[in-house]
Every structure is written in C-alpha cells, then in structure tokens.
C-alpha cells in the first residue's frame, strides 16, 4: 500500500469514529497520523523494508498505529478498518462525499432521521424533513439536493491523478514481463480529461496469450471482467476498470487513433475519410474501390501516417474533442507552439509551514531548484483563512523578511515574495495595500461565501481585481471536482477585466481543482487573457502536479506565449508590473 492509501484508510477511520461519537483524542490521532503519513517524502513500504523500527520515527505514530501500518504493508488490508466499516449500513459513508456534510451532521442525520444512504438523504430533503433537525432548515435541504446531483454526475469517475497512478502502476508491471513490444495509454487519460471512467491500454505483444495471462494476474486485481485474445478487462481494488487491447504492429497507429478518441473526434475523421474515398477503422486506413469491391490498406502503422493519409496534420491527443481541431488539422492551422511541460520555468503559487504548508520556505525553494526552475513564489494565506492559520499584516511583513533571508542563501533560483490574499465578501482584500505593495506577487482568491448570487459574486471578484496590486486570480471558479460546484459568476466579465487590468488567470493544477478548466481557459484566451499554471503546493512533492495544469492548458489550445510561467525571469517581472 502506498502512503496515500494508508492516509486515506486513517482518515476514513477518523470519520467513522467521529460519527460513532468516540473519543476526540483518538479521532485526532488518526487525522494527524494520516497527515503525517501523507507528508512523508518516502514510501512507508520502503521505510519498512529497510528497517521496520524506523516506522517509529514518523511523528504521531505510536505502537498501535505502527502495527496497523505494518499490517497494511504486509497483507494490503486492515482488519480493524474492515470491521469498522461493517458497522455502518452499505452506502452510508459515501454520504461524506456530499458537499456540506461532515461527520457531525451525518451523525445527526443518522440518529434523528434514520438516513442510511444518498437515496434516503435525497428523499428527506425533498420532503422537507431536514428542518426537524436543530440548525438545519429548508435552505440546507435545497443546498444538499444540489450537492447530491453534483455528486451523482461525478460518481464512477476518477480524478486525473488517480487514474494516472493506476495506469503508471500497471504499465510498470506490464513492462516487467518482457513480453511487450509497445505499450501506450489511450482513451480519456491520454487526452488529459479531468476525470476518467476507465483506463484504456493498447499494446503490441510477442505472445498475446501470455500477455493476457500476465495482465489478469496484476497483483491489485479485484476481479476479471473479461479475458480474450485481443481484449481483457480487469477491475482493480480501487474500483477502476482497466482494459488492455492487444493489436498487430501494422495496425498500432490506427488502433491508437481509434481508442484515444474522443468518440466525436473519431466520427468526424471517418466522415472526412469517406469524402476522400477512404475507410478508416481501428485496423487502418483503406482505399476503397467500389467498382471492384476492393479495399487496400494504405496506412495504419503510425498515428502520423493515418492523419497524413487523410490530408491532416497529426493532432495532439489533448485536442481531440471535436472542438475545431479536425478542421484546423485539415487546414494546417493547429496551434504551432502548444505548451509543453518542459516550457515551464517556475511555479507561482505555494505554501509553507508559515500557514498550512508542510515544508519550510527553504525546503520548498530547494525542491523548486531541484526541478530546474528559474523562479519560485512563496504565497502563504492571509488572516481570513483561519483554518489555514492565515497571516495578518504584521506577520506577513515578517514572513517577507524570512523569505528574503532564505532566498539569499540559495543560488540559481529567483525567489518571489508573495501572498495568497483572501477576497472578502464585499470584494475588499484581506491585507492592507501598504503591505501588498511590498510583495513581488499578489494572488487573490475566494475561500468563502461560495454560494453568493451571480451578480454579487461577480461584483465581488471584479472589485478585488481592481486592486492595483493583484497579479493573479487563483482558482477562479472555486470548484472542487468531486464535492463543490463552481461559483455562479459572469466569467466573461471576469476574463475581460483580467485583460484590462493585466491580471493573469490561474490554472490551479490540484487534481480536485483543475481551475480554471479547459473550457474556461479557451474562452478566456479569446479575450486575450494570460495564464499562470500553478500547483498551489502545500508540500514539496506536489510541485510535480504541474503536469495536470499543462495538459489542461493544452486542451484549451494554449501556447507557450499565453502562459507567464514559461517566460524568462526578466520578462516575467515585466509582465507582473501593473498600471
Ligand atoms: P471515459 O472512459 O468515459 O473517461 O472516456 P473515453 O474517451 O476513454 O471512452 P471509452 O473508454 O468509452 O472509449 C475509449 C475510446 O474508444 C473512445 O475515446 C473512442 C473509442 N470509442 C469507444 N466507443 C466508440 C464508438 O462507439 N465509436 C467510435 N467511433 N469510437 C468509440
Ligand atoms: Ca476510457
């Protein structure tokens, strides 16, 4: 089990214990242990293999929790957790995924209204029964109904980083067999969508039979749905389905186009092919001679060959959504400099132990330097974000000095002093101008009052953008993919104001956020907006999540010039200047 899985088990235990009304210290101990395991720079499994007693060194892990970690490492299960889960009706803990419901509220719903699952909750909301519980009312019911609808839409899909993790693990496993000549990820994961239903893998094997035997023996398999010579499907214990298709080398390119999709892109391509008297399918491109009733294969080995035969340029997978890319590929009008991961020269949004980060300023800056970054901004929270231990003016001034002091000790990466300043309900900023003007970079963000009506929310954000020190609007839609809908706002107005005021829009790369999303970015680009792809890292390893922002930017057709953290440091500094 990896650290994330161990941490998730501990968090679920904490939630379950809280619903049961158990000792608060015990609950806190599990939450703290989850955080500490998640923060480790090494995998618990590696630490254990090296020397089991080293697990005692993890902060907050006593004898009992250590034994639990060892059990998870050894048998990939935890009996205590399994037994605890059995105490709840099936589907009950799923309610924790509904926005606005924590363990405390869930306990009340269970005790007072006998709510056991999402369906029960939906019925109770519709009947107006929630007002029978103290502190809840008609409005709570309405909000929960909308949250339930949102939850249902996302159900059964995995976040991009989760799906990528499954895919990486299985590809690494397949490679070990030595039986594969080619392995490629296809489907929505290759296109970089923010959520993924199932993982599609395409391969060329020396022996298809052996390949399939090996595939269905993947150690994390929960069940095998289908096993055949060309296609097999498994479900892994995390609940995700993974399909493996074995194809001939001569058809690999055509199969890759077909199984990368999207379906709409494929349909468009087939139409183009037909107009040119070709037929295209997962085996290749075929020239059709109707009179002789004959088909001749003319392409299929490579993707490039397939597209070229149809008179198109090769099209980056992230663009294949039938959003104008087919027409552009036919007319030689695809973006020339679609942004790439290697273009990124720095990260402009990060947190440290000063607020809710897990690493010191020095640890974060050194991590950025190790990535080869030219610059790095430290942007901790302001005071209104209390749960994150946000700073007031005085603390921020001191923090600026600390950042500068650390920066002087580390050569080769320019450190920018910054803040993630909270946008208050009325659109004022949470830090006074006399401090904002001391900073290299000011990121403004909404962290509260997500439910304001459209007009109020829009005006609130526009007002914040009119502060002359703001450089970046962070996670502009405020959504969390699995649990929180985007704010209601007139985004066109926000994008326009961003251009007028020379403020960059953030593409926050956290897997739960991806905010702005691809569609919003593409729209904002039409207005001429500039973007910053930021990890919002709270730990050093999270800096690697930048890649999810890059694929999102590619899905929005963004080029290198549209993204400010591809610029050299001088150009970046000039771009950040306002007014
Ligand atoms: P997902 O799994 O919902 O996140 O999204 P995809 O795009 O991975 O969809 P999936 O797994 O159902 O199918 C993989 C690819 O296979 C899809 O992107 C295009 C191709 N494909 C699947 N079904 C059809 C179909 O009926 N017609 C065509 N033209 N292509 C299809
Ligand atoms: Ca898929």
């Amino acid at each position: 089990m990896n650290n994330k899985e161990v941490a998730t088990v501990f968090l679920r235990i904490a939630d379950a214990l809280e619903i049961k009304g158990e000792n608060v210290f015990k609950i806190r101990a599990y939450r703290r242990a989850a955080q500490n395991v998640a923060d480790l720079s090494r995998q618990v499994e590696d630490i254990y293999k090296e020397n089991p007693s080293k697990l005692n060194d993890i902060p907050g892990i006593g004898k009992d929790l250590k034994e639990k970690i060892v059990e998870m490492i050894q048998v990939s299960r935890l009996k205590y957790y399994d037994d605890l889960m059995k105490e709840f009706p099936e589907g009950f803990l799923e309610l924790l995924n509904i926005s606005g419901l924590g363990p405390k509220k869930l306990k009340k719903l269970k005790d007072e209204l006998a709510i056991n699952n999402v369906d029960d909750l939906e019925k109770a909301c519709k009947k107006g029964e929630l007002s029978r519980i103290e502190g809840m009312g008609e409005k709570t019911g309405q909000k929960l109904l909308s949250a339930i609808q949102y939850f249902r839409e996302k159900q059964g899909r995995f976040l991009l980083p989760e799906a990528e993790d499954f895919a990486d693990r299985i590809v690494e496993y397949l490679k070990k067999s030595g039986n594969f000549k080619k392995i490629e990820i296809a489907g929505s994961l290759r296109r970089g969508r923010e959520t993924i239903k199932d993982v599609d893998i395409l391969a060329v094997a020396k022996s298809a039979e052996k390949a399939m035997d090996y595939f269905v023996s993947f150690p994390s398999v929960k069940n095998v749905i289908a096993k055949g010579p060309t296609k097999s499907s498994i479900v892994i214990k995390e609940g995700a389905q993974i399909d493996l298709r074995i194809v001939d080398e001569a058809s690999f390119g055509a199969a890759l186009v077909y199984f990368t999709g999207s379906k709409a892109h494929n349909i468009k391509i087939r139409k183009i092919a037909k107009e040119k008297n070709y037929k295209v399918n997962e085996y290749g491109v075929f020239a059709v001679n109707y009179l002789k009733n004959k088909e001749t294969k003319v392409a299929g080995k490579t993707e490039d060959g397939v597209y070229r035969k149809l008179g198109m340029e090769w099209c980056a997978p992230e663009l294949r959504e039938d959003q104008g890319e087919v027409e552009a590929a036919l007319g030689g009008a695809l973006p020339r400099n679609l942004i790439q991961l290697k273009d990124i020269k720095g990260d402009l949004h990060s947190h440290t132990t000063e607020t809710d980060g897990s690493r010191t300023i020095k640890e974060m800056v050194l991590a950025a330097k190790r990535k080869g970054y030219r610059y790095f901004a430290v942007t901790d929270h302001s005071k209104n974000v209390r749960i994150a231990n946000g700073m007031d003016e005085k603390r921020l001034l001191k923090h600026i000095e600390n950042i500068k002091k650390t920066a002087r000790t580390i050569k080769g990466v320019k450190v920018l002093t910054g803040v993630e300043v909270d946008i208050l309900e009325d659109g004022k900023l949470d830090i006074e101008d006399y401090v904002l003007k001391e900073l290299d970079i000011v990121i403004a963000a909404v962290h509260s009052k997500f439910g304001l009506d459209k007009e109020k929310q829009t005006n609130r954000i526009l007002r914040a953008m009119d502060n002359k020190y703001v450089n970046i609007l962070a996670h502009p839609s405020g959504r969390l993919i699995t649990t929180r809908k985007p704010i209601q706002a007139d985004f066109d107005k926000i994008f326009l104001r961003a251009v007028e005021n020379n403020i960059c829009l953030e593409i926050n790369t956290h897997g739960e956020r991806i905010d702005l999303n691809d569609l919003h970015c593409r729209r904002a680009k039409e207005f001429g907006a500039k973007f910053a792809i930021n990890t919002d890292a709270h730990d050093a390893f999270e800096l690697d999540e930048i890649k999810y922002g890059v694929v999102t930017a590619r899905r929005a057709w963004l080029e290198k010039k549209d993204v400010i953290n591809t610029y050299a440091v001088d150009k970046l500094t000039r771009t950040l200047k306002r007014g």
Side-chain angles (χ1 to χ4, degrees), residues 379-434:
T379 57
D380 276 303
H381 287 289
S382 66
K383 58 186 177 290
N384 194 47
V385 191
R386 270 187 224 106
I387 49 163
N389 184 26
M391 300 170 288
D392 60 11
E393 281 77 1
K394 206 172 140 208
R395 253 180 77 201
L396 178 52
L397 283 169
K398 181 96 188 59
H399 189 44
I400 296 174
E401 286 317 307
N402 287 336
I403 298 169
K404 286 182 179 166
K405 217 193 283 171
T406 306
R408 282 195 287 273
T409 67
I410 302 169
K411 296 275 170 281
V413 52
K414 183 175 171 63
V415 182
L416 304 176
T417 58
V419 70
E420 180 180 9
V421 62
D422 202 48
I423 301 175
L424 302 174
E425 185 173 357
D426 61 1
K428 276 197 202 138
L429 297 182
D430 187 28
I431 293 285
E432 297 279 344
D433 282 0
Y434 79 93

Side-chain angles (χ1 to χ4, degrees), residues 270-383:
R270 279 212 295 271
K271 197 168 145 255
I272 303 290
K274 219 169 167 185
E275 285 165 10
K276 299 186 183 219
N277 259 341
Y278 288 125
K279 191 176 110 182
V280 56
N281 57 28
E282 61 266 53
Y283 302 104
V285 181
F286 300 85
V288 184
N289 185 327
Y290 290 104
L291 296 177
K292 291 189 181 156
N293 197 16
K294 217 174 115 187
E295 288 178 358
T296 322
K297 185 166 170 179
V298 290
K301 192 166 183 203
T302 66
E303 274 202 327
D304 194 49
V306 170
Y307 281 107
R308 257 188 303 131
K309 203 39 124 185
L310 301 177
M312 300 164 73
E313 288 180 82
W314 178 83
C315 189
E318 294 92 338
L319 305 185
R320 301 183 196 172
E321 298 289 351
D322 189 23
Q323 294 292 322
E325 78 283 1
V326 173
E327 293 77 1
L330 280 167
L334 286 170
R336 289 290 139 228
N337 275 312
L338 207 57
I339 183 166
Q340 300 179 50
L341 187 57
K342 69 176 171 53
D343 296 331
I344 299 288
K345 293 201 173 65
D347 201 324
L348 299 174
H349 185 169
S350 74
H351 297 270
T352 71
T353 46
E354 181 61 31
T355 58
D356 60 346
S358 309
R359 305 279 155 188
T360 61
I361 302 169
K362 188 171 176 185
E363 286 172 320
M364 291 303 280
V365 174
L366 285 175
K369 187 177 166 171
R370 273 199 300 278
K371 283 184 75 71
Y373 282 166
R374 303 293 165 81
Y375 43 83
F376 184 70
V378 178
T379 57
D380 276 303
H381 287 289
S382 66
K383 58 186 177 290

